[in-house]
């Protein structure tokens, strides 16, 4: 079964600086997708960024970018120019490309942004 | 566009009571999922459905039941509620062509 590991329960960053959140996963599949979701205190699950495994180029979305290392099964999230509104729980998730398409989630990293 | 709607947002149940968490989506998605999120943890899959009339168990199905009579609705039934079912429940849906799933706002359930 696929597993997702986030080894940093908590991280903090100074406003305007850069922070990297780590994620590793375990799979024997070649067709899959990876995601970072943000969960603010409102509980809403908000998609931050996605990466298709077949794409070698790392995904970017404005201040958010990923470092996707397929051979190492690593998928880290970099947040540049951190803002107070970035403070939240961040979940790394894996989705298989076949079958029921369900997602497996890591335990999450709580990000604090200091003014 | 409402997306994925869950009701209720909050509920307190007594041990042994039953209830149904409602989930409906208006995006004509074929895949629907129920997850639970325990404090400080990620989401775990309870049940899923790949289309109307088709449901299957996820990682943690014990104590729950689901049905999928229409494309839009995917209710989650709790029978004989137990304190271990205290959690936040998320419903999600995904269409054939979507890469990611879309989530409802969650239901916080407390069993006392």
């Amino acid at each position: 079964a696929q597993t997702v590991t986030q080894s940093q329960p908590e991280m903090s960053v100074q406003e305007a600086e850069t922070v990297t959140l780590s994620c590793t996963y375990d799979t024997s599949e070649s067709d899959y997708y990876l995601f970072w979701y943000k969960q603010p205190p409102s509980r809403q699950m908000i998609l931050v960024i996605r990466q298709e495994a077949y794409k070698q180029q790392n995904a970017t979305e404005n201040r958010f970018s990923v470092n996707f290392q397929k051979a190492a099964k690593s998928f880290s999230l970099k947040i540049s120019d951190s803002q107070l509104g970035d403070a939240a729980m961040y979940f790394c998730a894996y989705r298989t490309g076949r079958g029921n398409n369900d997602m497996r989630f890591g335990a999450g990293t709580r990000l604090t942004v200091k003014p | 566009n409402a997306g994925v709607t869950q009701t209720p947002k909050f509920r307190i149940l007594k041990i042994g009571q039953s209830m149904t968490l409602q989930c409906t989506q208006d995006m004509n998605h074929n895949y629907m999922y129920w997850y639970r999120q325990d404090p400080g943890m990620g989401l775990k899959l309870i049940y899923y459905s790949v289309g109307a009339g088709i449901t299957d168990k996820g990682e943690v199905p014990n104590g729950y039941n689901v049905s999928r009579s229409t494309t839009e609705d995917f209710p989650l039934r709790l029978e004989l509620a137990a304190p271990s079912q205290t959690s936040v429940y998320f419903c999600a849906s995904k269409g054939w062509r979507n890469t990611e799933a879309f989530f409802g706002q969650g239901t916080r359930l407390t069993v006392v």
Side-chain angles (χ1 to χ4, degrees):
Chain A
Q2 296 83 15
T3 57
V4 179
T5 303
Q6 293 179 248
S7 58
Q8 307 154 317
E10 297 183 352
M11 291 283 285
S12 68
V13 63
Q14 207 71 34
E15 194 176 6
E17 297 197 340
T18 296
V19 65
T20 299
L21 308 184
S22 301
C23 173
T24 59
Y25 59 95
D26 186 25
T27 185
S28 59
E29 298 178 335
S30 58
D31 179 23
Y32 57 89
Y33 302 82
L34 297 163
F35 308 87
W36 279 97
Y37 278 88
K38 172 185 177 181
Q39 187 181 47
S42 67
R43 287 203 313 256
Q44 182 70 43
M45 293 290 285
I46 302 167
L47 178 69
V48 174
I49 199 164
R50 70 173 77 85
Q51 175 81 43
E52 294 86 345
Y54 63 83
K55 288 186 178 179
Q56 292 186 335
Q57 188 172 4
N58 289 327
T60 63
E61 287 287 344
N62 301 314
R63 298 182 295 108
F64 299 88
S65 62
V66 298
N67 183 4
F68 174 46
Q69 300 289 327
K70 190 171 184 178
K73 295 179 183 175
S74 171
F75 183 61
S76 60
L77 174 69
K78 185 171 83 171
I79 306 174
S80 304
D81 186 25
S82 297
Q83 301 176 358
L84 294 177
D86 295 334
M89 282 290 288
Y90 285 82
F91 292 99
C92 178
Y94 167 103
R95 177 171 81 71
T96 178
R98 57 179 178 81
N100 66 6
N101 279 204
D102 79 275
M103 283 190 292
R104 301 296 169 115
F105 287 82
T109 297
R110 182 173 300 281
L111 178 65
T112 302
V113 181
K114 298 178 181 178
Chain B
N1 194 351
V4 180
T5 302
Q6 290 183 237
T7 56
K9 289 186 171 53
F10 303 92
R11 183 72 185 267
I12 298 174
L13 274 185
K14 293 184 177 179
I15 295 171
Q17 286 185 322
S18 301
M19 78 163 294
T20 299
L21 280 65
Q22 301 291 344
C23 176
T24 187
Q25 51 92 8
D26 62 359
M27 298 173 282
N28 201 33
H29 286 170
N30 55 309
Y31 295 100
M32 293 190 76
Y33 310 91
W34 274 106
Y35 291 89
R36 60 177 286 172
Q37 182 183 21
D38 297 328
M41 302 294 288
L43 282 66
K44 293 193 181 297
L45 183 66
I46 305 171
Y47 269 95
Y48 67 93
S49 169
V50 300
I54 306 170
T55 63
D56 208 344
K57 297 177 180 179
E59 296 177 84
V60 290
N62 291 343
Y64 307 94
N65 277 299
V66 294
S67 59
R68 183 97 183 268
S69 57
T70 66
T71 299
E72 294 79 19
D73 301 309
F74 190 41
L76 178 72
R77 178 84 176 160
L78 279 72
E79 305 281 2
L80 298 175
S84 61
Q85 293 178 305
T86 293
S87 191
V88 178
Y89 291 84
F90 286 95
C91 179
S93 73
K94 192 185 83 66
W96 284 111
R97 296 182 180 180
N98 296 127
T99 302
E100 75 276 13
F102 296 82
F103 285 82
Q105 290 198 310
T107 296
R108 180 178 294 280
L109 175 67
T110 303
V111 182
V112 295

